[in-house]
Amino acid sequence: MRQNIYLSNISLNEAIDIFLEKIKDFKLGREYVKTYGANGRVTAKPIFAKISSPFYSCSAVDGIATVAKKTFTATDKNPVRLKEGVDYVVIDTGDPIPDEYDCVIMVEDLIWVSQDEVEIIKPAIPWQNIRQIGEDIVEGQLILPQSHRIRPVDIGALIAGGVFEVEVYKKPKVAIIPTGTELVEPGEELKVGDIIEFNSRVFAAQVEEYGGIPTRFDIVRDDFEKLKAAVDKASKEYDIILLNAGSSAGREDYSKKVIETLGEVYIHGIAIKPGKPVILGKVNNKPIVGIPGFPVSAYFIMENIVKKLINFVQGYDIKDKRYIEATLSKRIMSSSKYLEFVRVKLGFIDGKYIAAPIERGAGTTMSLVRADGVLEIPEELEGYEKGTRVNVNILKSEDEIKNTILCIGSHDLILDIAADLLAKRGKFTLSSAHVGSIGGILSLKDRETHFATIHLLDVETGEYNKSYVKRYIPNRKIALIKFVKRIQGLMVKKGNPLEINSLEDIVKKGARFVNRQKGSGTRILLDYELKRLGINPKDIIGYDREEYTHISVAAQIAKGNADAGLGVFSAAKIMDLDFIPIANEEYDIAIPVEYLELEGVKQFLEVINSEEFKNELDKLGGYDYSNLGEIIIIE
Amino acid sequence: MRQNIYLSNISLNEAIDIFLEKIKDFKLGREYVKTYGANGRVTAKPIFAKISSPFYSCSAVDGIATVAKKTFTATDKNPVRLKEGVDYVVIDTGDPIPDEYDCVIMVEDLIWVSQDEVEIIKPAIPWQNIRQIGEDIVEGQLILPQSHRIRPVDIGALIAGGVFEVEVYKKPKVAIIPTGTELVEPGEELKVGDIIEFNSRVFAAQVEEYGGIPTRFDIVRDDFEKLKAAVDKASKEYDIILLNAGSSAGREDYSKKVIETLGEVYIHGIAIKPGKPVILGKVNNKPIVGIPGFPVSAYFIMENIVKKLINFVQGYDIKDKRYIEATLSKRIMSSSKYLEFVRVKLGFIDGKYIAAPIERGAGTTMSLVRADGVLEIPEELEGYEKGTRVNVNILKSEDEIKNTILCIGSHDLILDIAADLLAKRGKFTLSSAHVGSIGGILSLKDRETHFATIHLLDVETGEYNKSYVKRYIPNRKIALIKFVKRIQGLMVKKGNPLEINSLEDIVKKGARFVNRQKGSGTRILLDYELKRLGINPKDIIGYDREEYTHISVAAQIAKGNADAGLGVFSAAKIMDLDFIPIANEEYDIAIPVEYLELEGVKQFLEVINSEEFKNELDKLGGYDYSNLGEIIIIE
């Protein structure tokens, strides 16, 4: 097995320029649509007013039309009296001004002396409260330029200007072809090795937002002829083709070969991360993009290339990324060979924006769900130091970010539950970045988070969290809010066939153990308990066998590859294992005392102290909330 | 005729709080929709993962799965050789990891020595390039909170988490009822007094963007019973009712009375401008909003109240206004009784944003089309001084604003033509604020515009523009770019029945003249010409009769109320009048010399010097471009 593993490494902007230049002769059709149905469409030519608006002089207010000269002497002391039919007519907003009158006095300025007589106490000036012909729009005036995306307000101006139909570009029809032998449709029975196909569904929603009409093809297996047939058909019936995945250079990546056979490949590989193995080409004179399979890579290709493409074919240059300046909460390294897109959480702390980088893996759809923004690290840089002021492309509004309570620290899914209950109240959002307990404490020290969630066992004292806060954050007065005790226990096969009821039993029964990696909280807790109980780790079979997550420990036991492992209740529950509680891990909130006064923090604390939240904890199981809400001030 | 003219003057935020509190028991229905079709929908409850993703350990790359221990001794000088089937299996991205292996080496790091043997030159570490079970999503984990608007990326995470249907709020059905006896449908024959109904069409597009389903009712005349019947029907079949207009307190404003009869009015009148005469109420337990008729008032009610309402009934608090800090280019006064919304043009000059207020009339749809942002002047302020740093709610992206060339000065519709041709090139936009020639010159002096368009006649010398630039802008080196000569002429009835061929003829033939107001460029030109020709203004019948626009002068002549007036060719053309050229007005561009180097300015100058632009001028008629592009440096 050998394969061509070399892709080009051209810059994103250069790649886009080349691609758009190559496809610039591709033309979308045009059509006339009713103006009232034209929202979001792109004008195919400039649009000029056919009539003036207003097309006659009319009143801008409710009142009376009169002659200004007759009012010139009016004062508080010497009011001028006017008679209906002789000096004035009553007029409503929008009514035409009769030729004999030259001004309108608004109803609020009239003193009624009888049914048909008014007095006024200040002079009117000619033309006051009169909308002149063409005041809004003059016949022949340009209302909209070409290649303009029509907005609701534009519809008003167009109709007011007598334009009831507009010539717009046809929406580009976009074919989305999912390819991959491992892909299955949602709802099909899953076996190991299957991947539920969802990228095409994300693309379809994105294409619609970008202004195209998506059509999703059936999944095509990794088969050159089948893929070729699908692309050929798509290129004849659609304006743009998206092929996902098979854009890399692996054994079964046929995208490039198919495009080369049917048309031309202009670019294969762009210096961005994630997203490098993209293909840009043309088949039957239609632009085609081969999009990588990892969902995060795919997202950035959609946002940075396909969005531009869909707008370009309508003559529209999209420039809608929004940026804010934020302080980076931790050092971040990046290869100087790539433009890298780093997902970040954003908060507004002590008057400045803070950007906390989150997972960088290309496969994690949740990192996109969680991201508040994207930091773009240019090709020429090797990253940024902690504390650097950086520009962040924001995915939320600034108002939303300002109403976000930022939590940096160790993650637990009860944070998501609390976030949901907080969101339900309408105003504030909880955003959490997962960097572990020590990372959270360092962010607190550097004023980069509202609070940190921590679970740090002091192996000298057996006490959780307190000593760490004291040692690491000498510069701030911190409140330690007791949150929950997480029950750590031994996970064993359903029915507990080896009758394991304690750590001692592991040794006694000769059970095959599966451990967590060094440095993890669970490993530290295990070592502390073993020492306390006087158990020698060497006597445990499998002590050296490390897994990296609670759930992979549970999976090994479920598969029968091990008999026991230490972990949290939820992992045992998911893998349908028995669970024997061993010790409690104290998961607490460390927060600067002054932030206790913030409205968002107050609401968050109300949420976690509520019965509703405790009910949710009961439903999950594995949590002890007997001390929840206790506050210890650490100075 | 008397009427209740008193509306309440409650603040916007207070009004919204009261309204939302009053309607908080109104509940939208819920429904299940396919996840792939759920983009833009709002979750009705929190959504948890049904399966983990990945649900088996799998490879994150293309390569080989092997045992890390076997590679520990590998170095450049002592490569480790591995054999397929014995030491490794070939594996593709996403493939499950066989139990006997614990790491994956990527294809880029392999040296192939035969078809089934590889060498590696650095050790692998356990679990490298392996995606653990639940690495992305863990079964039972919260994927989305309730009241969350689903985005494309959320669809991916939901499907990956095994959630193929989601419970969402039904989209609110919004009834839009246009009312007004003066309203006609587009396409009906227009007579004086008619207004083409378009607000409802703008609302429908807005409602769709806010996430509702709009239904537009037929126009209802100003008739209490008919309106009542329409509102009653709407309140039974729809979730939200928008009534437009009739929300003020005029003779024929029945909205309030109808709502009071069928339900309750909570608020009538809010301290905002434009938009004050709004009604907030409830009919048949459905929220109803009476929206003022002026399009700009209506726009701000839609954006500030109806948008919130449509989101509120889905449990969603919309916070998506975007702000930038900008310097105000001119003093702006505001009543301290109102929160005022002022439309502004935005530019980015010498590294800072400039906000130039545009028309404040509530009736001008074009002011909304032209606006780049909205300055919100709080109730407690009486306005801002020129030069104040203000927060502006932006309606475009910052990238778009930074690619905008700002022109402040006197307007001519050829600026719109140039803007269209510039937009067609894709990168830059021309944004122009109309404040007259002197206003433009002052903005140049204060570095608040890229250039100013001016036409100022020096009545001492008969020369245009030069002396004004010299006098008003002593501090900058300015280039005066000759733009066009606008031909001013006498407008007379088609066929020129009085045979008027010069200003002298007006006196000779005893023609009824109609003049422009004092201070207008046309009036200054007329007075200059009369003086030059030795004509006494007193000898002109109607010299004192003033109109405020070219087009209203033309309209008076078309109606037969006058025989002649001075104005531009386009006005004569619109009103189908004959036109006798009298003099040229020189309309030029004043620009700081250093801005001639800006890319956007260069492109603008290319545009106005192009044949395409000159062809457009020919089509319009009335322009002389023989000196176009000449540059005079004024120091």
Side-chain angles (χ1 to χ4, degrees):
Chain A
M1 178 207 84
R2 281 173 195 241
Q3 40 195 271
N4 167 25
I5 54 167
Y6 303 103
L7 305 184
S8 63
N9 208 40
I10 187 172
S11 81
L12 177 64
N13 287 334
E14 213 180 329
I16 290 172
D17 286 348
I18 291 171
F19 185 41
L20 297 186
E21 176 64 27
K22 290 281 187 190
I23 60 148
K24 71 167 194 281
D25 293 331
F26 167 74
K27 287 268 177 284
L28 269 191
R30 297 160 174 226
E31 61 185 334
Y32 277 91
V33 295
K34 292 279 180 202
T35 300
Y36 63 74
N39 193 37
R41 303 299 295 269
V42 176
T43 55
K45 59 179 193 188
I47 303 178
F48 299 92
K50 292 185 175 166
I51 54 173
S52 294
S53 173
F55 62 93
Y56 52 90
S57 297
C58 64
S59 180
V61 294
D62 291 337
I64 61 169
T66 184
V67 178
K69 270 187 191 159
K70 295 189 178 182
T71 69
F72 284 172
T73 60
T75 64
D76 277 4
K77 294 193 177 144
N78 292 302
V80 167
R81 186 170 291 202
L82 302 172
K83 195 160 170 61
E84 186 165 1
V86 181
D87 303 309
Y88 72 83
V89 288
V90 173
I91 198 165
D92 292 328
T93 306
D95 285 349
I97 308 292
D99 274 345
E100 57 269 40
Y101 300 115
D102 67 359
C103 71
V104 174
I105 301 173
M106 64 202 295
V107 71
E108 286 86 341
D109 293 337
L110 301 176
I111 300 155
W112 294 88
V113 288
S114 74
Q115 272 300 96
D116 61 356
E117 271 182 315
V118 296
E119 280 186 357
I120 53 163
I121 56 171
K122 70 177 185 202
I125 53 174
W127 292 104
Q128 77 176 26
N129 297 321
I130 291 181
R131 300 187 62 211
Q132 309 263 341
I133 296 173
E135 178 184 290
D136 184 2
I137 297 168
V138 177
E139 188 184 320
Q141 164 186 355
L142 181 86
I143 300 180
L144 296 179
Q146 58 201 309
S147 293
H148 172 87
R149 187 177 295 284
I150 296 173
R151 305 159 299 170
V153 293
D154 299 326
I155 291 174
L158 288 169
I159 297 178
V163 180
F164 307 139
E165 285 197 325
V166 282
E167 192 176 354
V168 295
Y169 287 109
K170 285 188 176 169
K171 285 187 171 198
K173 288 181 291 176
V174 181
I176 300 168
I177 308 177
T179 82
T181 304
E182 70 286 5
L183 299 178
V184 297
E185 294 289 359
E188 285 182 32
E189 207 188 324
L190 286 176
K191 47 188 198 309
V192 167
D194 286 346
I195 292 175
I196 306 173
E197 201 290 310
F198 60 81
N199 276 345
S200 70
R201 306 304 190 171
V202 179
F203 299 170
Q206 287 175 307
V207 163
E208 235 175 319
E209 290 194 352
Y210 304 161
I213 301 173
T215 298
R216 180 201 186 245
F217 278 45
D218 287 336
I219 295 168
V220 180
R221 318 222 133 245
D222 290 321
D223 175 306
F224 177 76
E225 289 303 329
K226 282 187 181 146
L227 190 58
K228 193 177 125 192
V231 171
D232 191 46
K233 179 178 150 73
S235 70
K236 282 167 183 156
E237 297 171 11
Y238 296 84
D239 300 312
I240 291 172
I241 306 140
L242 307 180
L243 206 51
N244 173 256
S247 71
S248 193
R251 287 185 299 174
E252 294 175 340
D253 292 336
Y254 296 118
S255 293
K256 189 183 179 192
K257 213 168 123 198
V258 163
I259 301 171
E260 276 172 346
T261 307
L262 293 171
E264 266 183 285
V265 166
Y266 302 122
I267 288 176
H268 189 197
I270 298 183
I272 57 173
K273 204 175 159 185
K276 180 180 164 83
V278 66
I279 303 171
L280 305 177
K282 193 159 76 174
V283 171
N284 274 329
N285 206 31
K286 306 290 176 62
I288 181 165
V289 181
I291 299 174
F294 276 127
V296 182
S297 308
Y299 172 81
F300 287 110
I301 295 301
M302 289 298 291
E303 282 289 294
N304 289 284
I305 297 178
V306 177
K307 188 175 190 177
K308 259 194 193 300
L309 175 62
I310 287 179
N311 282 280
F312 176 81
V313 297
Q314 299 176 80
Y316 190 77
D317 181 20
I318 190 88
K319 289 174 235 159
D320 64 352
K321 282 194 184 176
R322 296 175 276 147
Y323 294 87
I324 55 160
E325 206 188 35
T327 303
L328 199 60
S329 75
K330 70 174 192 190
R331 183 184 196 204
I332 185 153
M333 302 302 293
S334 170
S335 162
S336 63
K337 282 193 304 197
Y338 297 100
L339 163 64
E340 185 169 357
F341 300 100
V342 178
R343 286 139 278 168
V344 299
K345 284 282 182 187
L346 290 167
F348 191 70
I349 318 276
D350 294 349
K352 61 181 183 178
Y353 289 108
I354 302 292
I358 53 180
E359 309 98 297
R360 294 167 79 175
T364 55
T365 60
M366 281 307 289
S367 70
L368 291 172
V369 171
R370 288 196 200 104
D372 298 326
V374 175
L375 169 61
E376 299 166 357
I377 307 179
E379 256 168 285
E380 59 274 18
L381 294 187
E382 297 193 337
Y384 291 110
E385 293 302 321
K386 175 180 161 81
T388 310
R389 300 286 283 167
V390 290
N391 280 314
V392 176
N393 166 212
I394 53 175
L395 305 176
K396 289 179 165 182
S397 75
E398 290 183 60
D399 271 5
E400 282 175 292
I401 297 165
K402 285 182 177 164
N403 283 328
T404 294
I405 297 299
L406 188 61
C407 163
I408 299 184
S410 165
H411 185 248
D412 188 284
L413 62 85
I414 64 169
L415 280 180
D416 297 333
I417 305 288
D420 175 53
L421 295 177
L422 183 63
K424 193 177 156 189
R425 296 179 162 222
K427 190 160 166 68
F428 294 97
T429 307
L430 178 71
S431 206
S432 52
H434 316 154
V435 299
S437 298
I438 291 290
I441 280 192
L442 294 177
S443 286
L444 263 189
K445 175 167 167 275
D446 295 333
R447 299 174 178 270
E448 292 165 352
T449 183
H450 288 114
F451 60 81
T453 39
I454 57 174
H455 59 104
L456 290 161
L457 174 61
D458 185 336
V459 291
E460 304 296 318
T461 63
E463 202 181 42
Y464 268 90
N465 300 329
K466 247 173 108 169
S467 63
Y468 286 85
V469 171
K470 210 165 200 159
R471 194 180 333 144
Y472 281 94
I473 321 176
N475 60 338
R476 310 186 80 179
K477 190 169 170 183
I478 301 290
L480 193 67
I481 301 175
K482 298 307 286 181
F483 201 3
V484 293
K485 290 178 188 146
R486 285 197 293 216
I487 305 170
Q488 291 260 6
L490 286 168
M491 302 187 278
V492 297
K493 209 168 191 94
K494 191 89 185 167
N496 196 0
L498 296 184
E499 292 179 24
I500 295 165
N501 291 306
S502 64
L503 285 169
E504 287 96 335
D505 283 351
I506 304 280
V507 181
K508 276 189 214 155
K509 315 261 163 124
R512 293 167 304 158
F513 193 74
V514 52
N515 209 347
R516 286 291 307 281
Q517 84 278 15
K518 284 180 203 77
S520 66
T522 301
R523 175 72 165 261
I524 292 168
L525 178 61
L526 176 73
D527 291 346
Y528 174 77
E529 288 293 319
L530 292 179
K531 196 174 162 196
R532 195 173 64 81
L533 297 168
I535 300 173
N536 185 344
K538 285 188 182 153
D539 296 337
I540 295 177
I541 302 166
Y543 176 87
D544 290 333
R545 186 168 157 203
E546 297 181 350
E547 294 278 340
Y548 279 65
T549 66
H550 288 287
I551 201 130
S552 8
V553 168
Q556 289 301 334
I557 299 163
K559 277 197 269 187
N561 293 341
D563 299 314
L566 191 64
V568 293
F569 178 76
S570 61
K573 196 172 158 192
I574 289 169
M575 290 294 171
D576 200 24
L577 302 175
D578 275 4
F579 183 78
I580 301 106
I582 291 294
N584 285 331
E585 197 179 29
E586 297 180 32
Y587 182 71
D588 297 331
I589 294 163
I591 182 168
V593 168
E594 72 262 30
Y595 292 164
L596 292 173
E597 296 310 310
L598 296 177
E599 185 53 32
V601 168
K602 279 184 184 166
Q603 287 205 16
F604 170 75
L605 294 179
E606 273 171 40
V607 158
I608 63 169
N609 280 292
S610 70
E611 285 310 305
E612 199 177 0
F613 181 67
K614 289 171 184 172
N615 288 340
E616 293 293 330
L617 294 183
D618 286 339
K619 268 192 239 166
L620 289 171
Y623 295 98
D624 169 351
Y625 50 80
S626 51
N627 299 110
L628 201 162
E630 278 178 22
I631 297 184
I632 301 159
I633 305 291
I634 299 171
E635 292 185 79
Chain B
M1 177 205 86
R2 280 174 197 242
Q3 42 195 272
N4 166 25
I5 55 167
Y6 303 102
L7 305 184
S8 64
N9 208 38
I10 186 172
S11 81
L12 176 64
N13 287 335
E14 212 180 330
I16 290 173
D17 286 348
I18 291 172
F19 185 42
L20 297 187
E21 176 64 28
K22 290 281 187 190
I23 59 149
K24 70 169 193 283
D25 293 330
F26 166 75
K27 288 270 177 283
L28 268 191
R30 296 158 175 226
E31 62 184 334
Y32 278 91
V33 295
K34 292 278 180 204
T35 301
Y36 63 73
N39 194 37
R41 303 300 294 271
V42 176
T43 55
K45 59 178 192 189
I47 304 179
F48 299 92
K50 293 186 175 165
I51 54 174
S52 295
S53 173
F55 62 93
Y56 54 88
S57 298
C58 63
S59 181
V61 295
D62 293 337
I64 59 168
T66 184
V67 177
K69 269 187 191 159
K70 294 189 179 183
T71 69
F72 284 174
T73 60
T75 64
D76 276 6
K77 292 191 178 146
N78 292 302
V80 166
R81 185 171 292 201
L82 301 172
K83 195 162 171 59
E84 185 165 4
V86 180
D87 302 309
Y88 72 85
V89 288
V90 173
I91 200 164
D92 291 329
T93 305
D95 286 350
I97 308 293
D99 273 345
E100 59 270 37
Y101 300 115
D102 68 358
C103 71
V104 174
I105 301 173
M106 62 203 294
V107 69
E108 286 86 341
D109 293 336
L110 302 175
I111 300 155
W112 293 88
V113 288
S114 74
Q115 271 300 95
D116 59 356
E117 272 181 314
V118 295
E119 280 186 357
I120 53 162
I121 55 171
K122 71 179 184 201
I125 52 174
W127 293 105
Q128 78 176 23
N129 297 322
I130 290 181
R131 300 187 63 209
Q132 308 262 342
I133 295 174
E135 179 183 290
D136 186 0
I137 296 169
V138 177
E139 187 184 321
Q141 165 186 352
L142 180 87
I143 300 180
L144 296 179
Q146 59 202 310
S147 294
H148 171 89
R149 188 177 294 285
I150 296 173
R151 305 159 297 172
V153 293
D154 299 326
I155 292 175
L158 289 169
I159 297 179
V163 180
F164 307 140
E165 284 198 325
V166 282
E167 193 177 353
V168 294
Y169 287 109
K170 284 188 177 169
K171 285 186 169 196
K173 287 180 292 177
V174 181
I176 301 169
I177 308 177
T179 82
T181 304
E182 71 286 6
L183 300 179
V184 297
E185 296 287 2
E188 285 181 33
E189 207 188 323
L190 287 175
K191 49 189 193 310
V192 166
D194 287 345
I195 293 176
I196 306 173
E197 201 290 312
F198 59 81
N199 276 344
S200 70
R201 307 303 190 173
V202 178
F203 298 170
Q206 286 175 307
V207 162
E208 235 176 318
E209 289 193 351
Y210 303 161
I213 301 173
T215 299
R216 182 203 185 243
F217 278 45
D218 286 337
I219 295 167
V220 180
R221 317 223 134 245
D222 291 320
D223 174 307
F224 177 77
E225 289 303 330
K226 282 188 180 143
L227 191 57
K228 193 177 126 194
V231 170
D232 191 47
K233 179 179 148 73
S235 70
K236 284 168 183 155
E237 297 170 12
Y238 295 85
D239 300 310
I240 291 172
I241 306 139
L242 306 180
L243 205 53
N244 172 256
S247 70
S248 193
R251 289 183 300 172
E252 295 174 341
D253 291 336
Y254 295 118
S255 293
K256 189 184 180 192
K257 213 169 124 197
V258 163
I259 300 171
E260 276 171 346
T261 307
L262 293 171
E264 267 184 284
V265 166
Y266 302 122
I267 289 179
H268 189 197
I270 298 183
I272 57 174
K273 205 174 158 185
K276 180 181 165 84
V278 67
I279 303 172
L280 305 178
K282 191 159 77 175
V283 171
N284 274 328
N285 205 31
K286 305 290 177 62
I288 181 165
V289 182
I291 300 175
F294 276 128
V296 181
S297 308
Y299 171 81
F300 286 110
I301 296 301
M302 290 298 291
E303 282 288 297
N304 288 285
I305 297 179
V306 176
K307 187 175 190 177
K308 259 193 195 299
L309 176 61
I310 287 179
N311 282 279
F312 176 81
V313 297
Q314 298 177 80
Y316 191 79
D317 182 20
I318 189 91
K319 289 173 235 158
D320 64 351
K321 283 194 183 174
R322 296 176 277 148
Y323 294 87
I324 54 159
E325 206 187 34
T327 302
L328 199 61
S329 75
K330 71 173 190 189
R331 183 185 196 200
I332 185 153
M333 302 301 293
S334 170
S335 164
S336 62
K337 283 193 303 196
Y338 298 100
L339 163 65
E340 185 168 357
F341 300 100
V342 179
R343 287 139 278 168
V344 299
K345 283 282 181 187
L346 291 166
F348 191 70
I349 317 274
D350 293 348
K352 61 182 183 178
Y353 288 107
I354 302 291
I358 53 180
E359 309 98 295
R360 293 168 80 176
T364 54
T365 61
M366 281 307 289
S367 70
L368 291 172
V369 172
R370 287 196 202 105
D372 298 327
V374 175
L375 169 63
E376 300 168 357
I377 307 179
E379 256 169 284
E380 60 274 18
L381 294 187
E382 296 193 337
Y384 292 109
E385 292 301 320
K386 174 180 161 82
T388 310
R389 300 285 285 167
V390 290
N391 280 313
V392 176
N393 166 211
I394 53 174
L395 305 176
K396 290 180 166 181
S397 74
E398 290 184 60
D399 269 6
E400 281 175 294
I401 298 165
K402 284 183 177 164
N403 284 329
T404 295
I405 297 299
L406 187 61
C407 162
I408 298 184
S410 165
H411 185 248
D412 188 284
L413 61 85
I414 62 167
L415 279 180
D416 298 331
I417 304 289
D420 175 54
L421 295 177
L422 184 62
K424 194 177 155 191
R425 297 182 159 217
K427 189 161 168 68
F428 294 96
T429 307
L430 178 72
S431 205
S432 51
H434 317 154
V435 298
S437 298
I438 291 292
I441 281 191
L442 293 176
S443 286
L444 261 190
K445 175 167 167 276
D446 295 332
R447 299 174 179 270
E448 292 166 353
T449 183
H450 287 114
F451 60 80
T453 39
I454 57 175
H455 59 103
L456 290 160
L457 174 61
D458 185 335
V459 291
E460 302 298 316
T461 64
E463 202 181 40
Y464 268 89
N465 300 327
K466 244 172 110 169
S467 64
Y468 285 84
V469 171
K470 210 165 199 160
R471 193 178 336 142
Y472 280 94
I473 321 175
N475 60 339
R476 309 186 81 178
K477 190 168 170 183
I478 301 289
L480 194 67
I481 301 175
K482 299 307 286 180
F483 201 2
V484 294
K485 291 181 188 144
R486 286 197 293 216
I487 305 169
Q488 292 260 7
L490 286 168
M491 301 186 278
V492 296
K493 208 167 191 97
K494 191 89 187 165
N496 197 359
L498 295 185
E499 292 179 26
I500 295 165
N501 291 306
S502 65
L503 285 168
E504 287 95 336
D505 284 349
I506 304 281
V507 182
K508 276 190 212 155
K509 315 262 164 119
R512 294 166 303 157
F513 194 73
V514 52
N515 209 346
R516 286 291 307 281
Q517 84 278 15
K518 285 181 203 76
S520 66
T522 302
R523 175 72 164 261
I524 292 168
L525 178 61
L526 175 73
D527 291 346
Y528 174 79
E529 287 294 319
L530 292 179
K531 196 174 162 197
R532 196 174 63 82
L533 296 167
I535 300 173
N536 187 344
K538 285 188 183 153
D539 295 338
I540 295 179
I541 302 165
Y543 177 87
D544 290 332
R545 183 165 160 206
E546 296 182 350
E547 294 277 339
Y548 279 64
T549 65
H550 288 288
I551 203 131
S552 8
V553 168
Q556 290 300 337
I557 298 162
K559 278 198 268 187
N561 293 341
D563 300 315
L566 193 62
V568 293
F569 178 75
S570 60
K573 196 171 159 192
I574 289 169
M575 290 294 171
D576 200 24
L577 302 175
D578 275 4
F579 183 79
I580 302 105
I582 290 294
N584 285 331
E585 196 179 30
E586 298 180 32
Y587 182 70
D588 296 332
I589 294 163
I591 183 167
V593 168
E594 71 263 31
Y595 293 164
L596 293 173
E597 296 309 310
L598 296 176
E599 184 55 32
V601 168
K602 279 184 185 167
Q603 286 206 16
F604 171 75
L605 294 178
E606 273 172 38
V607 158
I608 63 170
N609 279 293
S610 70
E611 284 310 305
E612 199 177 0
F613 180 68
K614 290 171 183 171
N615 288 341
E616 292 294 330
L617 293 183
D618 286 339
K619 270 193 237 166
L620 289 171
Y623 296 98
D624 169 351
Y625 50 78
S626 51
N627 299 110
L628 202 162
E630 279 177 23
I631 296 184
I632 302 159
I633 305 291
I634 297 171
E635 293 186 77

